[in-house]
Amino acid sequence: MPAAENEPRPAKSGTPAKSEKLAKGEKPAQGEKPAKGEKSEQTRTLILETAMRLFQERGYDKTTMRAIAQEAGVSVGNAYYYFAGKEHLIQGFYDRIAAEHQAAVREVLDRETDLQARLSGVLQAWLDIATPYHEFAAQFFKNAADPDSPLSPFSAESEHAREAAIDVHREVLAGAKGKVPAELRDVLPELMWLSQMGLVLYWVFDRSPGSERTRRLADRGARLTARSIALARFRVLRPIVLEIHELFTDFLPGMAQTAVARKS
Amino acid sequence: MPAAENEPRPAKSGTPAKSEKLAKGEKPAQGEKPAKGEKSEQTRTLILETAMRLFQERGYDKTTMRAIAQEAGVSVGNAYYYFAGKEHLIQGFYDRIAAEHQAAVREVLDRETDLQARLSGVLQAWLDIATPYHEFAAQFFKNAADPDSPLSPFSAESEHAREAAIDVHREVLAGAKGKVPAELRDVLPELMWLSQMGLVLYWVFDRSPGSERTRRLADRGARLTARSIALARFRVLRPIVLEIHELFTDFLPGMAQTAVARKS
C-alpha cells in the first residue's frame, strides 16, 4: 500500500484558502484547500502537537477530533483535511519520531565504525527522543499491541514510519567494518528493527528512573546482536537466520509488505 | 519466594467448619477452617470456576471478590480464605491451565522421540486447552503484559505455574533423541518456554478461525527450534545461547528466581 494513502498530506496544487476561519464543524467546500506550503506545514504541525498533548492529558480513547480542532483553534473540517482521523494522527506521530531519530543518529553513524557501538548509539538515541512520550506509551500500548490494528508498528498503515526505522538499521550495518554475507544483507536490518521493537516493549513498562534498565538492555542487546552477526561468517548458520526472518515475514501482516517493497 | 505464599491453599489440619453457611461478608472465626479434604478442594474449584466465568462475562477489572463469593454461594470470608484476592484467582487459573497441560501432553511425550514433533505436540496441546479462554485473554492481556505486574507470566507470583510450564519443556528436551550439550541442558527449556510466551502473545491477538494462524506458527516455531538446537553441536554457538539466556534472566524479574530455584 503506498504511504500516501495512509498519511494524507496537503495536495501539492490547491486553491489557497483560509479554512481556519471556517465555522467550527464546517467542512471546507469541495476543492478548497486549507493552506499551502509553509503555512500548511505549520498548521499540520500545530494539529499534530495539539493532538499529542491531548492524547497525553486525556488519553487516546477519550480524545475526539473535534476536541483536537477546538484546542488547536482550527475548524473540524480543517483538522480532518490534514488527518483523516485519530489513527492518522498517530501515524503522523510515528513519522515524526522516525524523522527525529534519523536526524539524531547522524552524529554516531558518521563517527563510529564498530557495529556494536553504532547499534547501541542508535538505540540510545531512540530512547532519548521517546522519553517525553513514555507515559503516553504506557496508556497507548493496548491500542498498538494488536498486530492487526492500524496502530501497530507491524501494520500496513505504519509502513512509512517502519521503513524509515529499518533504513536506520540498514545504515548501521552498511557503515560498520566487517563483511556481512550478501544473502543476509537484506534480512538483518529487518531483524534488528524487530529486536528494537522488543526493546520498545520493554521500555513501555520500565519504571526505573530515566528508563535506566532499558538503557542497559539496549547496550546488552547491541553486544549480543553484534556477536550474533559476527557468527554469520559460519555458513551453517545462515539458513537459520533466513528461516527466522521468513517466520516474521509470514506471520506479521506488515512485514510481508516491507519485504515486497524492498524487492520492487 | 515459596509458591505457598502466592497461592494459599487450605491448611492440612483444621477444624471442620461450614462457613459456606456464614452470613455473607462475615469472615470465618479465627482458627475456623471453611472445609477440608475433598470438600475443601470442591469449594476451591467452585470459587475459581465462578471467578473465571465472571471475569469472562464482566471483565477482570469490573469483577469484585464480593460478586464472586455471592455468585458461588459462599461467604466473602470463605472466598478470601481460599484466594487472598483477585490476583490469586488468576494465579490459581494459571496453575490449573499448567496442570491440565501437563496431563494433556502425556500422550505425545510418551509416543514421540523426535524433538520437533514433541515440541509441536506440546504447543498444540496448550492451544487446545486455552481455546475456551481466548476471548478472556484478549481483554485480560493489558493486566498481564506488564512484566512488573504480579499477573505477568514473568512475575515472582507466577513462579509456580511458570515452573510447571518449564518442566514440560524439560521433558520435551530430555525425551528427544539426539544429544544436547550439558552446558545448555538447563537453559534451553527456559528459552523454549520464552518462545512459547511469544506464541501466546501472538495467539491473544489472532482472530483467524480456530486460531489456525497461531497453530501454523506453533508448527513452524517447533521446526525452527529443533533446527536451532541441532546446531548446538557447534561449540562456537554455545556462548551466544548462554548470553541470550543470561539477558532474559537479568532483565525479566521472575526469570532470575527461576534460575535460582533451579540451582538450589
Side-chain angles (χ1 to χ4, degrees), chain B:
Chain B
M1 191 182 295
E5 260 183 65
N6 309 315
E7 193 210 55
R9 289 178 186 275
K12 269 171 193 154
S13 67
T15 318
K18 294 169 183 172
S19 48
E20 284 87 349
K21 290 179 186 163
L22 284 176
K24 286 193 167 80
E26 195 183 323
K27 298 218 170 196
Q30 198 160 23
E32 189 185 8
K33 300 285 178 277
K36 68 173 183 182
E38 201 180 325
K39 179 81 169 69
S40 163
E41 213 33 66
Q42 276 172 10
T43 308
R44 193 176 187 279
T45 302
L46 171 69
I47 295 168
L48 184 55
E49 286 179 351
T50 306
M52 285 312 299
R53 181 165 57 77
L54 294 190
F55 289 161
Q56 294 194 58
E57 284 170 13
R58 306 177 186 179
Y60 176 75
D61 297 328
K62 287 186 190 141
T63 305
T64 60
M65 283 295 278
R66 181 167 293 273
I68 294 163
Q70 194 160 8
E71 192 77 12
V74 304
S75 73
V76 175
N78 201 357
Y80 273 111
Y81 172 78
Y82 285 95
F83 297 97
K86 284 201 292 176
E87 289 173 0
H88 295 75
L89 278 158
I90 294 292
Q91 295 301 337
F93 171 62
Y94 287 169
D95 282 337
R96 190 170 145 161
I97 293 272
E100 282 184 36
H101 189 224
Q102 283 185 312
V105 299
R106 284 269 45 87
E107 191 267 327
V108 66
L109 294 186
D110 291 345
R111 174 170 45 86
E112 291 284 356
T113 57
D114 176 68
L115 179 57
Q116 180 182 336
R118 288 170 73 80
L119 181 52
S120 174
V122 156
L123 297 175
Q124 299 293 348
W126 191 90
L127 292 170
D128 292 340
I129 285 168
T131 297
Y133 308 105
H134 195 195
E135 211 178 314
F136 172 68
Q139 59 110 329
F140 182 72
F141 172 70
K142 66 175 190 304
N143 300 295
D146 180 346
D148 283 333
S149 159
L151 302 176
S152 154
F154 306 111
S155 71
E157 289 79 359
S158 302
E159 190 183 357
H160 190 261
R162 179 169 64 244
E163 267 304 310
I166 295 173
D167 270 344
V168 171
H169 288 287
R170 288 194 182 105
E171 201 188 335
V172 166
L173 200 63
K177 60 177 189 278
K179 237 184 122 190
V180 173
E183 59 184 318
L184 297 185
R185 225 166 275 157
D186 281 342
V187 305
L188 286 177
E190 289 172 24
L191 289 174
M192 288 155 76
W193 174 78
L194 279 164
S195 322
Q196 186 189 332
M197 291 303 99
L199 185 76
V200 171
L201 177 62
Y202 193 84
W203 168 78
V204 165
F205 294 111
D206 182 3
R207 292 188 200 86
S208 64
S211 301
E212 85 44 58
R213 282 203 302 179
T214 305
R215 288 184 180 276
R216 280 191 293 117
L217 180 58
D219 283 344
R220 285 274 295 275
R223 189 179 69 181
L224 182 60
T225 303
R227 285 186 187 181
S228 304
I229 290 175
L231 287 177
R233 67 182 184 275
F234 297 102
R235 265 173 211 288
V236 67
L237 285 187
R238 298 185 199 162
I240 287 286
V241 179
L242 293 171
E243 195 173 333
I244 293 170
H245 179 262
E246 199 185 60
L247 194 85
F248 282 117
T249 311
D250 288 353
F251 285 89
L252 290 174
M255 294 303 287
Q257 281 162 317
T258 300
V260 168
R262 172 166 39 74
K263 274 166 197 161
S264 66

Side-chain angles (χ1 to χ4, degrees), chain A residues 28 32 165 186 191 216:
Chain A
E32 187 186 9
D186 281 341
L191 289 174
R216 280 191 294 119

Side-chain angles (χ1 to χ4, degrees), chain A residues 176-221:
Chain A
K177 60 177 189 281
K179 236 184 122 190
V180 173
E183 58 184 319
L184 297 185
R185 224 166 276 157
D186 281 341
V187 306
L188 286 177
E190 289 172 23
L191 289 174
M192 288 156 75
W193 174 78
L194 279 165
S195 321
Q196 186 189 331
M197 291 302 99
L199 185 76
V200 171
L201 177 62
Y202 193 83
W203 168 78
V204 164
F205 293 111
D206 182 4
R207 291 188 200 86
S208 63
S211 301
E212 84 48 54
R213 282 203 302 180
T214 305
R215 289 184 180 275
R216 280 191 294 119
L217 179 59
D219 283 345
R220 285 274 294 275

